[in-house]
Amino acid sequence: MNEKAKEMSRYVFPAVGGLCVTFLYNIVDGIFVGQGVGSAALGAVNVGVPFITAAMALAVMLPMGGATIIAVRTGQGDKEGANQAFMSALTMTTVISIVLTVIGMVFSKEIILMCGGNHLSSEMVDMATQYLFYYMAFCFPMLMGPCLSAFVRNDGAPALAFVGLCAGAVTNIFLDWLFIFPFHWGIIGAAVASGLGQVISCLILLSHFCRRKGNLRIRKFRISFSLSGKICKCGLPEAAS
């Protein structure tokens, strides 16, 4: 295998593995909720999916748009400009996650009703509201996890990005079992387990920047609205897909 193929495989396999791990979150939640809480709870979990999916689309848009601009500026030798794009995307993700946390927690019942909850029983609406409330309490790590993963991978550490996602998935699986079966926390346990899994993932991914292994740095920067617009424009196709 030549050097180019080796370099490509170093990025391709962790990226594909990362997608598989991401899908695993939803599958595991469904299995544990269905088996440990019941079919009604499994249906309740899915009621808030449209809102959660929209939030995840934003989580994909900003790092993908930022990564595109970083790649271009790095290729041009503009390391400072690349770091500016990184910090802009990271800051926008932080702001959006805070806004979504407030909206998701304060208006959790209204969101469930807008997503079709008005056709469900009051019990299912209550369960769906509880799940969305606690899930959105962890909106910051939920959005920051995919964001940091994309930047760590593009900053020359695809293996660490994969390890971070795997650690989050393993934590999620264990806590799903712990909270739903021994602790009997029900649907709330599933939401909290997902959130804590992403917290672990974020901590591992942040170690890349703490150790200053790559070119990207978390530091002060100047806000550029034109750059923010470019990041959103570049990442919009990925969010739409």
Side-chain angles (χ1 to χ4, degrees):
M1 185 182 293
N2 58 42
E3 290 300 321
K4 288 185 178 179
K6 287 182 179 179
E7 186 68 13
M8 183 176 293
S9 64
R10 191 168 78 91
Y11 283 87
V12 170
F13 292 126
V16 173
L19 287 174
C20 295
V21 170
T22 300
F23 292 133
L24 184 64
Y25 273 90
N26 294 327
I27 295 173
V28 169
D29 273 347
I31 292 173
F32 278 101
V33 170
Q35 295 295 319
V37 189
S39 57
L42 183 58
V45 167
N46 291 316
V47 176
V49 165
F51 181 77
I52 294 172
T53 301
M56 291 300 106
L58 291 174
V60 171
M61 178 180 71
L62 297 174
M64 290 301 102
T68 301
I69 296 175
I70 288 170
V72 172
R73 292 186 172 183
T74 300
Q76 295 172 341
D78 184 9
K79 291 185 178 182
E80 183 61 35
N83 206 86
Q84 178 82 0
F86 163 63
M87 286 303 303
S88 296
L90 198 66
T91 302
M92 284 192 291
T93 301
T94 301
V95 172
I96 288 175
S97 66
I98 293 172
V99 172
L100 288 175
T101 298
V102 174
I103 293 174
M105 295 182 72
V106 174
F107 302 104
S108 55
K109 187 170 185 177
E110 288 78 5
I111 292 170
I112 292 300
L113 294 176
M114 287 176 60
C115 291
N118 53 323
H119 301 295
L120 303 175
S121 65
S122 59
E123 180 187 6
M124 287 190 68
V125 170
D126 289 340
M127 285 192 294
T129 300
Q130 286 181 339
Y131 182 81
L132 183 63
F133 178 88
Y134 285 96
Y135 191 95
M136 294 310 295
F138 292 93
C139 185
F140 177 72
M142 288 287 185
L143 268 64
M144 193 57 68
C147 180
L148 290 174
S149 178
F151 288 126
V152 168
R153 184 168 55 248
N154 285 279
D155 199 29
L160 180 63
F162 181 60
V163 169
L165 289 173
C166 288
V170 171
T171 301
N172 182 31
I173 292 171
F174 172 72
L175 292 180
D176 264 328
W177 167 80
L178 181 68
F179 293 160
I180 292 176
F181 291 101
F183 286 7
H184 301 290
W185 286 3
I187 201 170
I188 296 174
V192 174
S194 296
L196 292 177
Q198 287 288 4
V199 170
I200 297 299
S201 181
C202 286
L203 292 175
I204 292 174
L205 295 170
L206 280 171
S207 68
H208 172 77
F209 304 103
C210 293
R211 292 180 296 157
R212 304 174 72 87
K213 287 290 185 179
N215 295 318
L216 300 179
R217 299 284 185 270
I218 297 178
R219 62 190 184 197
K220 291 182 180 180
F221 74 107
R222 55 184 178 80
I223 298 174
S224 172
F225 292 105
S226 61
L227 176 58
S228 299
K230 288 180 181 178
I231 291 172
C232 294
K233 183 178 179 181
C234 291
L236 188 59
E238 189 70 24
S241 63

